[in-house]
Amino acid sequence: MSTRHFLDISDYSREDLQGFLSLAHQLKSGQVAGTPLERKSLAMIFYKSSTRTRVSFEVGMTQLGGHALFIASQTSQMGRGEPISDTAKVLSRYVDGIMIRTFDHAEVVELAEHSSIPVINGLTDLLHPCQLMADLQTVREEFGPELEGMAVAYLGDGNNMANSWLNAAAAFGLDLRLAIPEGFDPDPAILARAKEATTVTLTRDPMEAAAGARVITTDTWVSMGQEEEAQEKIGIFQPYQVTQAVMDQGSEDAIFLHCLPAYRGKEVSAEVIDGPQSRILDEAENRLHAQKAIMMELMG
Ligand code: CP
Ligand code: NVA
């Protein structure tokens, strides 16, 4: 695989990831001149809904001098079952990069295997790596570039965000505490790998996870494609809501992050997400800068 893709944080070294984050910071602070992706095109394939991912990739391409195409699965031949390998090879003849948001992570891997251009993972059921780059950029803005040993508490579902935090923890040596109800644990292979690489605690006790944490984060209890589980989950997850009492367990300078969209009164109280410790809008903005850095490195 000679083409560089961005499918999974664990495909990259800490140095590479710090390089992306430094470039993202330079882009945000106006230190990068010109339009490095002039006349380049990014195909954006969506099998799931999106606000931030679509807008930040599309605007990012425009700002870098290129162009992005929005492709909804239902109105393309992919939604009618055209083989992923054919789609990959055909798109490789037209565009300079592909961003895809879909269900099965294996499909993104297959797309990358058959593409001669970079493929970027815009979320699968397993991972959401671009989100983590924006989250880490936000953490660096708050606490500086050294992430080793940073105490991060994630409360809620063992979903694509939990898995992505585990990969980030392994890459950067974070002290990651996960408070997740029994039966909803993250991917076992990703958990095991992160535990080998750094300090990872999996607990059923949100207060234990939050104790002394500098970053407290959560995500929706019901991810896209899992809507039928909503009723069952709400009761089970209620004790894992990020409330002010949870935030008060964290360090004095603790910040709250959420990838959005959020459900106030479910995974987070309105008081916390709309309160002074919340950095959700910087985090959302940083999708733009972090992804521009990734696109420049891969497609430039
Ligand atoms: N956080 C995130 O990926 O948001 P969207 O679903 O709006 O793209
Ligand atoms: N876990 C959520 C993240 C949304 C950005 C989902 O997959 O729906």
Side-chain angles (χ1 to χ4, degrees), residues 21 60 76 97 109 128-129 147 153 160 174 188 206 212 214 217 241 260 299:
L21 292 171
S76 74
V109 173
H128 196 2
L147 298 172
N160 42 14
L174 306 178
R214 300 187 88 187
T217 185
Q241 181 182 104
L260 306 177
M299 295 165 59

Side-chain angles (χ1 to χ4, degrees), residues 235-254:
I236 299 170
F237 278 75
Q238 204 59 46
Y240 293 80
Q241 181 182 104
V242 179
T243 58
Q244 193 55 49
V246 171
M247 292 304 297
D248 291 344
Q249 283 290 114
S251 67
E252 226 168 85
D253 57 358

Side-chain angles (χ1 to χ4, degrees), residues 46 48-56 101 122-123 128 131 135 161 219 224 258-261 283-284 287 291:
F46 284 93
K48 292 177 174 174
S49 303
S50 169
T51 298
R52 280 144 289 269
T53 303
R54 176 183 177 176
V55 174
S56 56
R101 165 170 287 195
L123 180 145
H128 196 2
Q131 181 68 52
D135 292 10
M161 283 303 297
D219 184 21
M224 290 180 276
H258 190 311
C259 66
L260 306 177
E283 182 185 7
R287 292 292 303 277
Q291 290 158 193

Side-chain angles (χ1 to χ4, degrees), residues 153 155 210 213-218 242 246-247 249-250 254-257:
L155 275 58
R214 300 187 88 187
V215 178
I216 299 179
T217 185
T218 184
V242 179
V246 171
M247 292 304 297
Q249 283 290 114
I255 59 168
F256 172 76
L257 296 181

Side-chain angles (χ1 to χ4, degrees), residues 104-297:
D104 185 357
H105 189 76
E107 288 181 6
V108 177
V109 173
E110 190 183 347
L111 185 77
E113 272 167 10
H114 294 281
S115 294
S116 58
I117 52 171
V119 173
I120 299 172
N121 178 1
L123 180 145
T124 63
D125 290 345
L126 188 71
L127 296 172
H128 196 2
C130 292
Q131 181 68 52
L132 251 288
M133 296 305 283
D135 292 10
L136 294 173
Q137 186 178 352
T138 314
V139 174
R140 282 169 46 127
E141 285 170 355
E142 196 71 30
F143 300 118
E146 182 53 65
L147 298 172
E148 171 102 41
M150 178 74 60
V152 177
Y154 173 96
L155 275 58
D157 192 21
N159 61 12
N160 42 14
M161 283 303 297
N163 291 333
S164 300
W165 273 108
L166 282 163
N167 283 339
F172 287 97
L174 306 178
D175 167 8
L176 181 64
R177 304 90 170 279
L178 302 167
I180 291 174
E182 207 167 346
F184 299 92
D185 285 348
D187 180 83
I190 294 175
L191 177 64
R193 213 184 53 85
K195 276 188 165 173
E196 268 176 37
T198 190
T199 315
V200 175
T201 314
L202 174 60
T203 171
R204 312 295 173 206
D205 178 359
M207 293 300 180
E208 182 194 340
R214 300 187 88 187
V215 178
I216 299 179
T217 185
T218 184
D219 184 21
T220 179
W221 295 334
V222 182
S223 285
M224 290 180 276
Q226 303 172 359
E227 288 76 9
E228 73 286 354
E229 294 172 25
Q231 273 321 309
E232 176 210 347
K233 274 179 143 177
I234 283 167
I236 299 170
F237 278 75
Q238 204 59 46
Y240 293 80
Q241 181 182 104
V242 179
T243 58
Q244 193 55 49
V246 171
M247 292 304 297
D248 291 344
Q249 283 290 114
S251 67
E252 226 168 85
D253 57 358
I255 59 168
F256 172 76
L257 296 181
H258 190 311
C259 66
L260 306 177
Y263 300 87
R264 287 166 177 77
K266 300 281 194 304
E267 73 270 12
V268 59
S269 69
E271 179 187 24
V272 168
I273 194 166
D274 300 318
Q277 290 169 285
S278 177
R279 296 291 180 274
I280 56 164
L281 297 180
D282 296 319
E283 182 185 7
E285 179 187 331
N286 286 339
R287 292 292 303 277
L288 174 66
H289 310 298
Q291 290 158 193
K292 280 170 72 178
I294 292 166
M295 290 191 288
M296 270 178 70
E297 292 287 354

Side-chain angles (χ1 to χ4, degrees), residues 2 16 19 39 68 92 96-97 202 204 210 226 248:
S2 52
D16 288 337
R39 300 189 68 80
S92 296
D96 306 282
L202 174 60
R204 312 295 173 206
Q226 303 172 359
D248 291 344

